[in-house]
Amino acid sequence: MTPQEIQQIFFVECEESLAVAEAGLAACQAGTQDDDTVNSVFRGVHSIKGGAGAFGYVALQAYTHTFETLLSDVREGAVALDETLCSLLLRALDTLSDHVNAARDGDNPPDDAALLAELTAAQAANRDGASAPAPAVAPAPQTAPPAATTQDDFDLDLDSLLDTLVGPAADPVPASDTPAREWHLHLRAHGEAMQNGAEPLALLRELAAMGARCVTCDLSQVPALDAFDPAQGYLGWTFALPASVAEADALDLFDFVREDWGLATGSDAGIPPLRLSAPAPAAAPSAHLTPPHGTGAPAAPTAPSAVQASADEAPAAPPPGPASSQPPAPPSPAAGQSIRIDLAKLDRLIDTVGELVIAQAMLAQRLAGDPGSKDELTMLEGLTREIQESAMAIRAQPISSVFSRVPRILRELAASTGKHVRLEIIGESAELDKTVLERLGEPLTHLIRNAVDHGIESAEERLAAGKPAEGTLTLSAEQRSGRILIRIGDDGKGIDRARVLQKAIEKGIVAADAQLSPEDIDSLIFAPGFSTAQAVTSVSGRGVGMDVVRQNVKELGGRITIESEAGKGTTFTLALPLTLAISDGMIVNVGDQTLVVPLTHVVESLRPPPGDVQGLGSSRQMLNVRGRFVPIVPVANHTGHGGVPKAASEGVLIIVDTQALGQAALLVDEISDQRQFVIKSLESNFRAVEGVAGATILGDGRVALILDVDGLVASALGQNSGANPVREAA
């Protein structure tokens, strides 16, 4: 694995650690301040610090050290975790996220001087009557992080580190020669440390950063080359640390790997003995694995500062051999195992599965008339669907990964607008395709900023209106068939339709004498360049946000609708496909064209008797479906079909469910098949077409258009959104 690949893994783990830490701090702010929650926050920050030191991101390491020091005091109970400190820690975590992004992108690190001063002051002010010590690692100057590390950099860094840390491989310095201002730390990495993926070099760097000086490097346990096992910890060290470094601070470096290291402190203690994690290779001579005479396990130190956990002080492992009674290590449980896969590899897998679906459809169509191959074709179709569903499940991710970014957005908005908003999240476990998730972040951010800046009133206005001073923003996700509905609602003042219409007339978006429905007025906020803000601010006012939202949702093959009530609030609903790759559809014929109706919209299909079809006005027909009338939409009128469309009583009516307009009946000539189809973007290969969501390749190699059911029905009924056209039959 190359250094660049290792760095990429580090940044992925940073994202995971940040998410865990943010969840923990949010829980602390909500009142859950138990040890497990606080420790999870500390572990997340500590993990980032260790990796930053290993890769040489000095600014990130320095900032994280100060952050971690305050968290360590919180964990030990030396600093009280109140609401003010929670808010400070959340802001510190936001800056830590900026540091990680800067290190990953090669940008200049953020200006953290003011926040570092706040963290240090909070530690000093909240300690039980004691002033906080200065951070062991001084904040680094705000310079650009190092460029991507190369193998040569690793070699040079290792050489310089060995020159500094691996001092004379000799006996320890006598206690009498040790300066009074220093204390000793003895350590050895056991074999488990290597097997668990630990990086001893990173911990040694951290010790060096604290001012540690290598007194002794024990090489006596290193075996001959033919018996050397790189998964074992043969080296041991004795470090001298200045008295200004507290023992607890140094030992905290090993807090989460304590069981995998042998540790002891005090001048009377020695380097912990060798402990092998598994029997060494049979070819290894026992003489090389047996410590020399006089170098066995040291006696327990009498100094009260000695740290020797029972697991670390186990006797040295016996030489391997037939008579060894050491039991093998138990296998790790299989549950919860996972593996990181490059997203590009998953994309190739999905593309290949899509081609497999097309090939299976072609084979099924070619052998449709062969009764002898029916069983084999059924088996192939079942296996193809299973492979497709498994591949899609790999890409499915919970929407909580997007919702988890919202608290930070609200904190930033609170700082810029002065409005404090309470967040409610519903259905965060709903899953959808990772591609959809990645492109959902930007529209969601715009909608949240719009809700806080335009929708939710100031505290004074809310109190005057009889509302709580704190606003409420609700995020919800609901899976409905093959779609996911995401709602962003606020309890603000709602859309001021009179003002929206006036602004639209001023900007020439609509005519001054235009007669628009409330739903049409609401949709004006999506017009390019439209904004009702009195002045341009850092949050809004340029008229680009909502236009971006509509465009992004449209590119995802979804729709956005608005529900607003004056004085009550506004809710935006995004209806998005669960996946952008493969779906199920109904293959229909309209004249000489073959089209696909996504099965997620289909309720039922029928051939109505003449008495169930009735006219409404001069150009619209309605279908009586068990006592309810739904509008009939002749698909031929909207596909460029040149012939005369069939009458409703002669064709097939497909009852579809739309997001904004309820049910409608699509009139087609016939239904030819129902099968999976691979979604191909029409806009990226041709151009956007109203009423068309994409294209696919049929079993006979022809290209068929995929209908955008919501857009087609809205266009046919001459509406953008609004009231349900379904009527009760008299």
Side-chain angles (χ1 to χ4, degrees):
M1 183 176 290
T2 66
Q4 289 75 19
E5 291 173 333
I6 298 175
Q7 282 182 315
Q8 184 62 33
I9 294 175
F10 163 66
F11 287 119
V12 171
E13 292 175 344
C14 282
E15 294 296 330
E16 296 173 354
S17 298
L18 288 170
V20 170
E22 182 166 20
L25 288 176
C28 290
Q29 194 173 40
T32 305
Q33 299 180 1
D34 55 86
D35 292 342
D36 289 341
T37 303
V38 175
N39 284 335
S40 68
V41 178
F42 180 85
R43 282 194 298 268
V45 176
H46 180 77
S47 298
I48 296 175
K49 172 189 171 183
F55 288 104
Y57 293 114
V58 180
L60 175 59
Q61 182 189 18
Y63 175 82
T64 314
H65 178 80
T66 303
F67 191 2
E68 178 193 49
T69 301
L70 178 56
L71 287 173
S72 178
D73 285 349
V74 171
R75 188 179 58 156
E76 295 170 1
V79 173
L81 187 58
D82 54 18
E83 185 176 353
T84 301
L85 185 58
C86 279
S87 299
L88 174 61
L89 293 176
L90 283 168
R91 288 194 290 116
L93 189 67
D94 293 341
T95 302
L96 177 57
S97 178
D98 293 338
H99 263 290
V100 171
N101 293 335
R104 180 187 58 213
D105 300 335
D107 297 333
N108 290 328
D111 184 3
D112 57 9
L115 196 53
L116 284 172
E118 287 188 65
L119 293 173
T120 304
Q123 183 185 14
N126 287 279
R127 270 188 176 273
D128 297 336
S131 59
V137 180
Q142 302 297 319
T143 57
T149 309
T150 64
Q151 184 62 50
D152 291 341
D153 296 332
F154 273 110
D155 294 339
L156 292 173
D157 187 48
L158 181 59
D159 291 340
S160 61
L161 187 70
L162 289 175
D163 290 342
T164 303
L165 297 183
V166 182
D171 295 330
V173 175
S176 58
D177 296 338
T178 303
R181 64 179 181 276
E182 292 183 338
W183 59 277
H184 283 162
L185 172 63
H186 314 277
L187 65 155
R188 184 189 301 275
H190 297 317
E192 291 88 344
M194 316 302 174
Q195 293 181 351
N196 292 336
E199 178 52 78
L201 195 58
L203 294 172
L204 298 184
R205 283 197 182 101
E206 299 241 13
L207 283 174
M210 301 177 80
R213 176 176 56 86
C214 182
V215 175
T216 302
C217 178
D218 179 17
L219 305 176
S220 62
Q221 304 300 314
V222 179
L225 186 59
D226 58 350
F228 189 87
D229 183 358
Q232 304 296 342
Y234 299 115
L235 299 182
W237 294 272
T238 294
F239 284 95
L241 286 92
S244 60
V245 177
E247 290 185 10
D249 290 341
L251 293 174
D252 274 348
L253 298 177
F254 304 87
D255 196 31
F256 302 108
V257 294
R258 187 72 61 89
E259 294 181 357
D260 299 337
W261 284 72
L263 299 171
T265 60
S267 57
D268 296 333
I271 297 174
L274 176 69
R275 190 178 83 195
L276 301 178
S277 60
S286 58
H288 291 297
L289 295 178
T290 304
H293 295 292
T295 60
T302 56
S305 61
V307 178
Q308 292 182 326
S310 59
D312 293 332
E313 292 305 312
S324 177
S325 60
Q326 182 178 0
S332 301
Q337 290 184 346
S338 61
I339 184 173
R340 287 193 177 93
I341 302 176
D342 187 1
L343 188 58
K345 295 181 180 179
L346 278 181
D347 289 337
R348 288 196 296 272
L349 173 62
I350 297 298
D351 291 341
T352 305
V353 171
E355 297 302 321
L356 176 62
V357 171
I358 294 174
Q360 183 267 332
M362 291 181 173
L363 184 61
Q365 184 161 335
R366 178 168 298 183
L367 299 178
D370 183 4
S373 59
K374 181 178 179 180
D375 293 342
E376 289 78 3
L377 287 176
T378 301
M379 181 183 298
L380 176 61
E381 182 178 1
L383 290 174
T384 302
R385 177 175 291 274
E386 185 175 350
I387 293 173
Q388 177 258 321
E389 291 176 351
S390 299
M392 299 309 301
I394 295 175
R395 286 183 60 93
Q397 299 289 327
I399 200 172
S400 58
S401 61
V402 176
F403 283 179
S404 63
R405 309 172 194 170
V406 177
R408 177 176 183 178
I409 299 175
L410 292 181
R411 289 194 295 271
E412 293 174 347
L413 290 172
S416 59
T417 65
K419 300 177 183 179
H420 293 277
V421 180
R422 180 171 58 90
L423 178 64
E424 293 183 353
I425 295 180
I426 303 171
E428 60 183 332
S429 61
E431 293 187 341
L432 66 162
D433 191 277
K434 185 172 178 62
T435 303
V436 180
L437 276 178
E438 290 174 345
R439 298 168 63 180
L440 184 60
E442 186 175 8
L444 192 65
T445 300
H446 282 300
L447 289 173
I448 292 171
R449 293 166 69 91
N450 181 78
V452 175
D453 194 42
H454 291 288
I456 296 177
E457 312 94 329
S458 64
E460 295 78 11
E461 292 175 312
R462 292 181 63 84
L463 291 174
K467 297 181 179 181
E470 185 181 55
T472 300
L473 182 73
T474 303
L475 293 180
S476 69
E478 172 192 358
Q479 185 173 332
R480 184 178 296 176
S481 187
R483 293 174 292 169
I484 186 167
L485 303 183
I486 301 171
R487 294 183 174 89
I488 303 95
D490 64 72
D491 65 344
K493 57 188 175 183
I495 296 177
D496 187 344
R497 294 190 174 100
R499 185 178 178 189
V500 169
L501 181 59
Q502 181 62 34
K503 281 285 186 180
I505 294 174
E506 292 176 3
K507 292 180 175 291
I509 297 175
V510 297
D513 57 349
Q515 300 295 321
L516 303 179
S517 66
E519 292 75 21
D520 291 333
I521 295 175
D522 291 345
S523 66
L524 291 174
I525 66 176
F526 294 113
F530 183 86
S531 177
T532 58
Q534 298 289 352
V536 175
T537 66
S538 61
V539 178
S540 62
R542 300 188 184 276
V544 295
M546 300 306 290
D547 182 36
V548 169
V549 170
R550 181 177 63 175
Q551 184 62 29
N552 287 357
V553 172
K554 184 178 179 181
E555 290 175 356
L556 287 171
R559 294 183 65 82
I560 182 170
T561 57
I562 310 172
E563 298 175 13
S564 183
E565 184 177 353
K568 300 291 185 180
T570 303
T571 298
F572 292 88
T573 301
L574 280 63
L576 300 170
L578 291 176
T579 176
L580 300 180
I582 303 173
S583 187
D584 289 281
M586 188 174 284
I587 313 299
V588 302
N589 294 327
V590 179
D592 58 351
Q593 299 183 24
T594 301
L595 305 170
V596 180
V597 181
L599 207 59
T600 55
H601 291 276
V602 176
V603 178
E604 61 178 315
S605 61
L606 51 89
R607 289 184 181 271
D612 285 349
V613 178
Q614 298 183 17
L616 179 65
S618 60
S619 60
R620 182 171 298 175
Q621 290 183 313
M622 305 291 286
L623 173 67
N624 185 353
V625 182
R626 292 178 291 277
R628 304 179 70 216
F629 282 113
V630 299
I632 296 176
V633 178
V635 177
N637 292 345
H638 302 275
T639 59
H641 175 54
V644 179
K646 284 188 176 182
S649 59
E650 299 175 356
V652 178
L653 291 174
I654 303 174
I655 309 300
V656 294
D657 193 12
T658 66
Q659 173 62 27
L661 297 169
Q663 291 187 353
L666 301 184
L667 174 58
V668 300
D669 293 352
E670 62 178 353
I671 300 174
S672 61
D673 198 0
Q674 177 181 318
R675 62 174 57 254
Q676 288 183 303
F677 61 90
V678 180
I679 304 171
K680 303 291 185 181
S681 173
L682 189 65
E683 187 170 358
S684 60
N685 294 286
F686 178 55
R687 61 179 176 82
V689 178
E690 185 177 1
V692 177
T696 189
I697 301 175
L698 300 176
D700 57 4
R702 291 184 299 151
V703 175
L705 299 179
I706 304 169
L707 293 180
D708 174 10
V709 174
D710 288 278
L712 180 65
V713 173
S715 175
L717 300 182
Q719 302 181 46
N720 292 322
S721 61
N724 191 328
V726 175
R727 299 288 183 265
E728 296 294 334

